[in-house]
Amino acid sequence: MSESQLTKFQKPSELMKYLETGKGAVAMALPKHLNPDRMLRLAVTCFSTTPALRNCTGQSILASIVVASQIGLEPGIAGQGYLIPYRQTCTFVPGWQGLVGLLN
């Protein structure tokens, strides 16, 4: 793994710069009704409101956003899904509201 993938970010602006490098992967995974810029902003908002995400690597945060994009759920919006920190790894976990929305 490269050093940039293992980087832990302390400021939302630093994370946003890193996420911009993976914007193409997010855009390819998203369904038509979602916007890649919005997904990146939602990730930065989650990062700002969850201090434990500062311990997670940039690669795991980006991977979580790609997973959320593939499923079509937005992290931190109305309980659709959550970015959960597990030590140095960020994991996307769908919320029950998101799962119900997918079933409908």
Side-chain angles (χ1 to χ4, degrees):
M1 284 189 192
S2 72
E3 189 175 318
S4 66
Q5 292 174 330
L6 298 176
T7 302
K8 296 176 188 174
F9 302 98
Q10 295 302 313
K11 296 180 182 177
S13 60
E14 295 170 349
L15 177 65
M16 187 59 154
K17 283 183 190 176
Y18 178 77
L19 292 177
E20 286 287 336
T21 64
K23 186 176 176 180
V26 173
M28 288 182 5
L30 277 173
K32 300 277 186 245
H33 71 280
L34 294 175
N35 181 329
D37 291 320
R38 178 173 168 80
M39 290 297 281
L40 298 184
R41 286 193 309 271
L42 289 172
V44 171
T45 300
C46 290
F47 180 82
S48 297
T49 58
T50 309
L53 284 174
R54 288 179 171 80
N55 296 326
C56 297
T57 62
Q59 179 186 17
S60 69
I61 294 172
L62 180 59
S64 296
I65 294 302
V66 171
V67 168
S69 299
Q70 290 170 337
I71 299 171
L73 298 177
E74 297 177 323
I77 297 296
Q80 287 187 12
Y82 305 94
L83 296 180
I84 307 293
Y86 294 104
R87 296 189 183 171
Q88 294 184 356
T89 303
C90 176
T91 303
F92 178 76
V93 177
W96 70 268
Q97 294 95 332
L99 294 174
V100 168
L102 290 175
L103 290 175
N104 290 333

